[in-house]
Amino acid sequence: MQHTVIPSWYQREGYIKAMANLIEKELEKFDRPEQAMIFFSAHGVPLAYVEEAGDPYKAEMEECVDLIIEELEKRKIINAYTLAYQSRVGPVEWLKPYTDETIIELGKKGVKRLLAVPISFVSEHIETLEEIDVEYKELALKSGIEKWGRVPALGCESTFISDLADAVIESLPYVGAMAVSNLEARQSLVPLGSVEELLAVYDSKRRELPPPVMVWEWGWTRSAETWNGRAAMLAVLVLLVLEVTTGQGFLHQWGVLPSLH
């Protein structure tokens, strides 16, 4: 089956702008927005994934944060920021710094206003609604943080969703080769009137799906083979019971079971 892979989109313009929009909006809720520290909290992974397996996750997260900060600076928002990793489990070492430990350290350093940003999460779930909103907030208040805020997950934020749609369209045949980084120019390359035509070209290269019932080379269906197997197992069980009860049969002849006589 032909397919296209979009390996990552952390650096895409629409995603970066969507994150910056949400951060800017939440900062306005602070009494002194310029004094709030932006606390990026990403989902962690075992350190071995990065150092031994070569997972680019850590580097991509750091670059993603840098791109968001650059976008905020363009809007004259210059706040202190940091990045940490949450949700570690088990005894192995995970990516550091850890979110919980970093919150305690920030409290000791006198940070009073903290805006948490779930940087690697795009929807609300237990790690944002429970771990961040409840556990980390409680830890922050105990550590001396006086004002706590949290940026919501992207969800169906229009800029984000539109950018994901652009990423898909760019990956279609011959459009990807023409794609550029500028959002407006990219949109002009794929006018809405030609999207259906592009999809038709892409679908024409796909092979037909196999029929619902797969027929094996010797003519049996998977369902028939399943029942054949069950019947064979039942037959073996019956023969085993007869051999044990009568004391005669192949297993006794081969010496596997002792004779009853």
Side-chain angles (χ1 to χ4, degrees), residues 1 7 20 44 62 81 83 86 99 106 111 115 124 129 161 178 193 198 219 222 239 250:
M1 179 179 294
E62 293 173 352
Y81 68 95
L83 169 65
Q86 66 179 82
T99 294
L106 292 176
V111 174
L115 177 61
E124 303 290 0
L129 301 175
I161 297 300
M178 298 187 299
L198 291 174
R222 293 181 183 275
L239 291 175
F250 290 108

Side-chain angles (χ1 to χ4, degrees), residues 1-145:
M1 179 179 294
Q2 294 185 356
H3 66 279
T4 298
V5 175
I6 302 175
S8 61
W9 36 263
Y10 70 92
Q11 77 287 22
R12 292 188 59 85
E13 183 179 2
Y15 167 70
I16 297 301
K17 286 186 176 181
M19 289 297 300
N21 291 341
L22 293 177
I23 293 173
E24 183 176 12
K25 183 177 180 180
E26 291 301 318
L27 281 174
E28 294 175 353
K29 298 179 181 180
F30 285 79
D31 54 350
R32 297 179 181 177
E34 72 282 355
Q35 295 184 6
M37 171 169 280
I38 302 175
F39 188 96
F40 294 97
S41 184
H43 197 294
V45 296
L47 186 61
Y49 286 14
V50 175
E51 294 187 345
E52 299 178 15
D55 192 327
Y57 178 71
K58 182 176 184 293
E60 291 181 352
M61 280 296 95
E62 293 173 352
E63 183 180 355
C64 182
V65 169
D66 289 341
L67 291 172
I68 294 174
I69 293 299
E70 288 179 7
E71 176 63 27
L72 290 173
E73 290 177 349
K74 293 178 182 178
R75 308 179 186 190
K76 309 301 180 182
I77 300 175
I78 304 176
N79 288 58
Y81 68 95
T82 189
L83 169 65
Y85 298 91
Q86 66 179 82
S87 307
R88 70 184 187 276
V89 294
V92 300
E93 185 176 0
W94 283 46
L95 286 180
K96 290 184 176 181
Y98 298 140
T99 294
D100 51 356
E101 295 179 356
T102 303
I103 290 176
I104 296 174
E105 292 176 2
L106 292 176
K108 292 180 180 179
K109 292 179 180 179
V111 174
K112 299 301 181 182
R113 296 167 178 81
L114 200 64
L115 177 61
V117 182
I119 186 59
S120 62
F121 306 102
V122 296
S123 63
E124 303 290 0
H125 44 70
I126 190 171
E127 287 161 319
T128 60
L129 301 175
E130 169 64 26
E131 193 169 15
I132 295 180
D133 285 356
V134 178
E135 297 177 17
Y136 290 153
K137 179 181 180 180
E138 181 180 353
L139 178 62
L141 296 178
K142 288 183 179 179
S143 301
I145 306 296

Side-chain angles (χ1 to χ4, degrees), residues 172-183:
L172 296 177
Y174 78 79
V175 178
M178 298 187 299
V180 293
S181 59
N182 183 269
L183 181 61

